[in-house]
Amino acid sequence: MSRLIAISNRVQAAQAGENSNRGGLAVALSAALRTSNGIWFGWSGEQTDEFSGQITFRREAGVATATIDLEAQDIDEYYNGFANRTLWPLFHYRLDLTEIARDFAGGYARVNARFANTVAPLLEPDDLIWVHDYHLMPLGKGLRDRGFANRLGFFLHTPWPPASLMVSLPNHRELVASLLSYDVIGFHTAEWRDSFIDYITTHLNARIEGEFAHLDGRMTRLLICPIGLDATEFMSAQGTEAALQAEQRLITSAVGRQVIVGVDRLDYSKGLQERFLAYEQLLNTRPDLREKVFMLQIAPPSRGDVASYQQIRADLNSLSGGINGEFASIDWVPVRYVNKGYAREELFGIYRASRVGLVTPLRDGMNLVAKEYVAAQDPQDPGVLVLSRFAGASVQLNAALIINPHSSEDMADAIARALTMPLEERKERHAAMLKSVIEEDVRWWSEKFIEALSGEEPQESRPKLALASSKP
Ligand code: GDG
C-alpha cells in the first residue's frame, strides 16, 4: 500500500472522538494517514525570524506531522495577503473585496516554492501526494518541476469562481495551468467543476474527454467529491455530559421560546449581515412571533488581521445592537450574538435544542455546519434546516428549506415556515438529509478521493481512453 502524504497550509492532526475545535477534515485525513503510515506536512502556524526550511517532526494523535515555520513577510504576503485577501474573496465571488498586489503574488510563489523545496526530501517514489486548498495551487507544478512523477492530487475546499471573475487575477493563466500538473482535482459540486472546465476550455484551450482534462500531453481527472461530516464521531456526542448540559442550558434559558441557531466562522462569505436583516424583517412583518422566538448566533472571530474581517465584526455588532434596541423587552433579547467558540459536544447540544438551523452563506464550497445541524437532531422531533442555495451542501441536503440569502423576504418566510412546520414534514425532510449525512460521510469522501488518486479510472471513461491511446 502506498503512503499518503497530505499537504495543507496548516497541520491539524486529530483523533476521532477528540473534543477539540478541529473539524472533520482533520479527523478523516488523520485516519487515512494512520492507515497508510503517511505524513502530514504544512505550516506550523509559528513565525520565525528567518526561514530556514527546518522541519519539526512530531507524532500527534498517532499521525506523523512535519511542519515548518514561516517568516513574518511570508505570513503577510502569502497567508494574510494572496490567500486571504486575494484568492478567498475572489473565489467567493467578492471582487469588491479582492485586493490585487504584486507583493502578495510574489509571497505566494515564494512560499509555494518553500513548501516544494522542504517537502521534497521526504517524498518516496510510490507516495500518493494530496494537496489541499487554494493556498497551495502551484505546489503540484513545483514538485513536477523538481522531477517528481508521483501521483499528485489537489482538493479545492472553496467554490471555483466564474471565468469572468477569474480573469481579474493578473497571473490567472499561469496559476490555473499549474493546476493541470495534478493527476486529480477534486471539487465539492458539479457547479464548481463546470466553472473550472469553462475557464480551462476558454482560456487555456484544454480539451475535456469524459472526466478528464487534457492539456500539453498531460491529463487530469476532474472529480466531484463532496466532503462529508465525521458523522459517527459527531453523533457520538449524543448523551455526553457536555452535550446534555449545553442542550439543557439553552432550553432552560429559552423559557418556552423557539431557538433559531446559526454557527459560523465570522466571515463575509457566510451571509451573516443578510441573515440578521432577514431576522429583523421577520420581527417586523410577523409581530405575533415576537417574544416567541430568539436567534442565537455563534460566530467565533477568524482572520482578525485582515481589514474586511474587522469590518464585518463591526457591522454585526451594530446590527445585533440595533435589533435588540428596537425589539427587546425587559425579559426578552431577540438576538444573542456570541463571539466565541464552543467545544464540539456543546455544539451538538446547542444544535439539538434549536428548532431552526440557519445556514445562509452567499457562497460556500460545501458548509459542514448544515450537516452538523442535521446530524444533531432528534429524528422523532427534528428541527428544520434553512439552507442557502449557494452553499455546496444544498446539492445533497435538498430536503432543507432552500432559500436565496440575498432576499430578506425569502429568508423571513422560510424561518416562519420552519417554525410552524408539522412534525410529519419535519421528520420526512430530516430522514432524507440524515441518510446523506451518514452515507456520504468524511471517510466516504477521503476514500473516494484516494481511490481516484491511486489511479483507479472511472468505469465510463475506460473505453474512451483506450480509443484515445490507440491513435497514432
Ligand atoms: C471551508 C469551506 C467547506 C464553527 N464554530 C465553532 C466551530 N465551528 C466549526 C463548525 C464546522 C467548521 O467550524 C466550519 O466548517 P464550514 O464547512 O462551515 O466552513 P469553513 O471553515 O469556511 O471551511 C467550506 C470546508 O472548508 C470543508 O471543505 O465545507 O465550504 O469554506 O465544523 O462546527 N467548532 C467548534 N466551536 C465553534 O464555536 N468546536
Side-chain angles (χ1 to χ4, degrees), residues 153-389:
F154 176 81
F155 191 85
L156 181 69
H157 290 266
T158 66
W160 185 271
S164 54
L165 296 184
M166 196 64 203
V167 295
S168 57
L169 208 58
N171 58 346
H172 60 94
R173 269 200 194 84
E174 188 194 338
L175 185 67
V176 185
S178 75
L179 276 173
L180 295 173
S181 296
Y182 290 99
D183 296 295
V184 184
I185 303 176
F187 302 89
H188 290 302
T189 66
E191 187 180 353
W192 314 145
R193 188 224 29 207
D194 291 348
S195 187
F196 181 76
I197 288 180
D198 182 39
Y199 178 92
I200 60 170
T201 49
T202 313
H203 294 278
L204 298 178
N205 268 327
R207 189 166 49 85
I208 303 297
E209 249 180 60
E211 282 193 348
F212 290 84
H214 296 255
L215 184 70
D216 300 335
R218 281 205 51 77
M219 97 186 186
T220 300
R221 184 165 168 196
L222 306 179
L223 187 73
I224 299 169
C225 189
I227 197 168
L229 185 65
D230 189 351
T232 318
E233 181 267 346
F234 192 66
M235 291 169 83
S236 73
Q238 192 190 334
T240 60
E241 194 54 31
L244 287 173
Q245 261 189 24
E247 182 180 359
Q248 211 43 57
R249 204 169 147 196
L250 191 50
I251 291 172
T252 309
S253 77
V255 288
R257 295 179 174 121
Q258 310 250 47
V259 186
I260 302 166
V261 76
V263 175
D264 307 78
R265 244 178 352 88
L266 194 48
D267 191 295
Y268 48 77
S269 66
K270 304 293 180 183
L272 290 162
Q273 289 107 314
E274 290 76 3
R275 187 181 308 171
F276 279 28
L277 290 170
Y279 179 61
E280 186 178 37
Q281 165 94 7
L282 178 78
L283 297 179
N284 266 322
T285 53
R286 290 289 304 267
D288 55 308
L289 290 175
R290 292 181 201 160
E291 312 233 0
K292 299 210 175 63
V293 298
F294 68 89
M295 180 164 93
L296 168 63
Q297 177 63 55
I298 296 175
S302 67
R303 305 177 191 171
D305 292 340
V306 178
S308 47
Y309 287 75
Q310 294 155 9
Q311 184 59 48
I312 179 195
R313 198 168 176 180
D315 289 350
L316 290 172
N317 285 343
S318 140
L319 269 173
S320 59
I323 298 171
N324 283 338
E326 190 178 348
F327 294 102
S329 60
I330 52 167
D331 63 351
W332 177 55
V333 181
V335 181
R336 298 186 191 175
Y337 174 47
V338 185
N339 274 151
K340 69 172 205 158
Y342 286 85
R344 290 184 70 72
E345 289 182 338
E346 290 177 303
L347 274 190
F348 182 97
I350 292 167
Y351 290 134
R352 199 169 171 96
S354 303
R355 169 48 61 89
V356 183
L358 279 187
V359 179
T360 62
L362 304 179
R363 266 319 136 173
D364 217 332
M366 171 53 64
N367 195 297
L368 290 172
V369 170
K371 296 188 173 184
E372 290 165 4
Y373 180 77
V374 169
Q377 297 308 301
D378 173 359
Q380 297 315 313
D381 186 17
V384 180
L385 177 65
V386 173
L387 178 59
S388 164
R389 55 172 295 198

Side-chain angles (χ1 to χ4, degrees), residues 51-99:
F51 180 77
S52 66
Q54 191 189 327
I55 304 177
T56 305
F57 292 95
R58 286 212 179 83
R59 260 201 115 66
E60 289 175 51
V63 176
T65 62
T67 56
I68 50 171
D69 300 343
L70 294 177
E71 290 172 10
Q73 195 183 350
D74 291 341
I75 299 170
D76 258 19
E77 295 175 351
Y78 150 80
Y79 180 67
N80 288 324
F82 202 73
N84 286 338
R85 288 162 70 180
T86 308
L87 292 177
W88 177 270
L90 178 65
F91 279 31
H92 289 85
Y93 300 45
R94 293 298 301 267
L95 207 47
D96 56 326
L97 298 177
T98 302
E99 295 176 53

